């Protein structure tokens, strides 16, 4: 965790939310070492199984409550990646003989883009929508893309690189009017912005580690009315009403449930505090010339501030910044060294996309972290600009 005077770098990387809340860790530990919650939740013949099943169902109710769903509409998966794969591949393959058109945006997470590309190779038609300079997808653009054979639209609520927020309610209304299904990746939205979309979306992806829960657990919301449209992509023991086979990881699920309960109780206050810190960070950074926001400052997610620095390489900046843990773009694209496809899709030049940093804020981010980060970045940018050829 972060803190004033800590020897470790201030943590502002890939959703600072990946720091596990100690209260979540406690809920998980109870299932590993506790009085019998280590049973297999599918074993209904003894008390150990019953105890584990009770924990799983309590957690399912917490996840459902966070998004206004019914518990039976929550399918546990290994995270948002698997949830989005299930929503996209699971509906496409179940309906390939009826409808073969899909709609998404170029700025989506890879967990959506890659299954879509896979389906293109399998003969589906995909319409790739463009975002405006602020990263927004116009609901009218979605409406215009819909065809009689459109099966599924997939548009995320909050972009993980820029924090741009989409109007999911309006996009959902357009889809419903045209008889198309809507999937939304809510991984960056839940716990920070209102996400009571039950009734407006048919499928929604979540992951626990973006709300201070453990990695490796998430869920797909499957609206009861949409259940006939989706089929499993993993086969086996038939858990999760046949939609996701495999033994349920009780400790992971209990941690996810606790994280959701905390997000429901504290998310609004967390978000308000993060919005203040994000504004302070922007004020500090924008005192320098040549600093351009890639995040919508007025209405973007309070958890993300993405900034480009003219005349500076993002990678050199990250290396120079020993006092803070931060990255350029997403964890996935920064591994490849390619400039962010999201920033490129918003019309940023290769240079500006490469000269960008993404700051993530979470429940444990402090004013001291923000001050340290802002000052360190300004020093590093000034120094790197001084030695640039
Ligand atoms: C983190 C993230 C994912 C992937 O979540 P996993 O837990 O790695 O599966 C998907 N979509 C968005 C928007 C994310 O931020």
């Amino acid at each position: 965790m972060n803190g004033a005077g800590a020897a470790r770098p201030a943590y502002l990387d890939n959703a600072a939310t990946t720091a596990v809340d100690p209260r979540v860790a406690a809920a998980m530990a109870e299932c590993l070492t506790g009085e019998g919650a280590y049973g297999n939740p599918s074993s209904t013949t003894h008390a150990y199984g019953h105890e584990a099943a009770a924990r799983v169902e309590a957690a399912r109710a917490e996840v459902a409550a966070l998004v206004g769903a019914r518990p039976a509409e929550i399918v546990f998966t290994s995270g948002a990646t698997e949830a989005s794969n299930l929503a996209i591949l699971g509906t496409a393959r179940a309906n390939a003989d009826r409808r073969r058109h899909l709609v998404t945006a170029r700025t989506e997470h890879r967990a959506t883009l890659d299954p879509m590309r896979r389906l293109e190779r399998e003969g589906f038609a995909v319409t790739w929508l463009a975002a405006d300079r602020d990263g927004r997808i116009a609901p009218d653009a979605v409406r215009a893309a819909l065809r009689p054979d459109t099966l599924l639209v997939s548009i995320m609520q909050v972009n993980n690189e820029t924090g741009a927020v989409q109007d999911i309610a309006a996009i959902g209304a357009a889809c419903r009017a045209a008889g198309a299904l809507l999937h939304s990746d809510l991984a960056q939205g839940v716990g920070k912005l209102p996400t009571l979309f039950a009734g407006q979306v048919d499928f929604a992806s979540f992951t626990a580690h973006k709300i201070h829960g453990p990695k490796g657990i998430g869920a797909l919301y499957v609206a009861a009315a949409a259940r006939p449209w989706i089929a499993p992509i993993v086969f086996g023991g038939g858990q999760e009403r046949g939609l996701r086979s495999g033994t349920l990881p009780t400790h992971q699920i209990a941690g996810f449930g606790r994280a959701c309960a905390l997000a429901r109780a504290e998310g609004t206050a967390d978000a308000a505090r993060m919005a203040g810190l994000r504004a302070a960070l922007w004020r500090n950074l924008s005192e320098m010339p040549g600093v351009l926001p890639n995040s919508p400052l007025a209405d973007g997610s309070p958890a993300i501030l993405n900034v480009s620095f003219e005349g500076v390489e993002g990678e050199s900046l990250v290396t120079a910044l020993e006092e803070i843990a931060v990255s350029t773009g997403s964890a996935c694209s920064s591994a490849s060294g390619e400039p962010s496809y999201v920033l490129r899709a918003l019309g940023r030049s290769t240079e500006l996309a490469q000269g960008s940093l993404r700051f993530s804020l979470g429940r444990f981010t402090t004013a001291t972290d923000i001050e340290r980060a802002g000052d360190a970045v300004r020093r590093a940018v000034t120094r790197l600009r001084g030695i640039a050829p």
Side-chain angles (χ1 to χ4, degrees):
M1 215 182 296
N2 308 333
R8 302 178 69 198
Y11 189 55
L12 295 165
D13 198 10
N14 181 22
T17 52
T18 51
V20 174
D21 191 299
R23 296 167 290 181
V24 168
M28 294 176 72
E30 280 175 26
C31 297
L32 293 165
T33 57
E35 306 275 290
Y38 46 78
N40 184 333
S42 299
S43 302
T44 52
T45 52
H46 50 68
Y48 297 94
H50 288 301
E51 167 68 22
R55 303 249 181 175
V56 166
E57 293 318 312
R60 195 187 303 279
E62 293 293 1
V63 178
L66 182 59
V67 293
R70 277 170 278 176
E73 296 174 313
I74 299 298
V75 175
F76 287 117
T77 64
S78 61
T81 301
E82 189 192 329
S84 296
N85 272 262
L86 173 56
I88 295 165
L89 300 176
T91 52
R93 292 188 178 146
N95 300 283
D97 54 344
R98 297 192 261 182
R99 298 187 185 193
R100 299 179 72 82
H101 178 238
L102 307 158
V103 177
T104 191
R106 296 188 187 283
T107 42
E108 292 291 310
H109 192 274
R110 292 264 316 263
T112 294
L113 298 183
D114 284 8
M116 288 283 185
R117 288 191 190 113
R118 176 82 231 168
L119 289 169
E120 256 184 340
R121 288 200 295 278
E122 292 178 17
F124 285 80
V126 178
T127 299
W128 301 92
L129 298 175
D132 67 16
R133 283 193 63 83
D134 278 338
R136 271 182 289 257
I137 309 292
D140 278 342
V142 175
R143 202 171 288 119
L146 296 172
R147 316 193 313 208
D149 66 335
T150 304
L151 173 66
L152 180 77
V153 174
S154 182
I155 301 286
M156 74 203 317
Q157 185 197 13
V158 176
N159 186 274
N160 51 300
E161 289 195 37
T162 65
V165 181
Q166 308 301 344
D167 187 347
I168 295 301
I171 292 171
C175 292
R176 265 197 316 287
L181 298 164
L182 175 62
H183 164 250
S184 189
D185 178 345
L186 303 185
Q188 296 279 348
V190 282
K192 291 154 203 138
L193 294 170
T195 49
L196 293 170
F197 293 131
Q200 295 168 0
V201 304
D202 299 284
F203 308 103
S205 303
F206 316 104
T207 191
H209 70 99
K210 303 291 170 60
I211 51 169
H212 303 290
K215 296 165 193 67
I217 185 72
L220 182 68
Y221 159 74
V222 179
R227 180 63 183 83
W229 291 88
I230 188 167
I233 57 171
V234 171
F235 302 90
Q239 287 89 344
E240 298 300 89
R241 292 162 199 267
L243 266 184
R244 205 282 193 170
S245 286
T247 301
L248 292 170
T250 316
H251 60 297
Q252 297 285 83
I253 290 171
F256 185 18
R258 196 73 224 279
C260 288
L262 292 170
R264 199 149 60 93
E266 301 173 10
T268 307
D270 286 344
R273 204 169 28 75
M274 277 148 53
L277 293 175
R278 176 179 178 265
L281 181 58
W282 172 248
R283 272 196 304 277
N284 190 348
L285 296 176
S286 60
E287 277 175 24
M288 272 187 302
V291 178
L292 308 158
N294 297 315
S295 298
L297 295 169
D299 57 4
S301 162
I304 300 173
L305 179 65
N306 192 315
V307 179
S308 283
F309 301 91
E310 276 173 10
V312 181
E313 269 273 332
E315 284 305 330
S316 327
L317 199 47
V318 169
T319 313
L321 286 167
E322 283 174 7
E323 309 93 316
I324 65 171
V326 69
S327 58
T328 69
S330 72
C332 338
S333 58
S334 48
S336 69
E338 291 290 310
S340 155
Y341 67 85
V342 173
L343 297 186
R344 296 289 289 122
L346 304 190
R348 306 298 188 268
S349 66
T350 310
E351 292 70 30
L352 281 180
Q354 257 158 356
S356 69
L357 289 182
R358 180 189 59 171
F359 303 92
S360 291
L361 293 81
R363 181 178 294 152
F364 303 116
T365 308
T366 64
T368 312
D369 292 332
I370 289 298
E371 232 169 88
R372 261 173 93 192
D375 294 348
V377 170
R378 286 174 51 170
R379 274 196 307 276
V381 167
T382 306
R383 189 167 61 78
L384 290 169
R385 280 179 177 164
I387 61 176

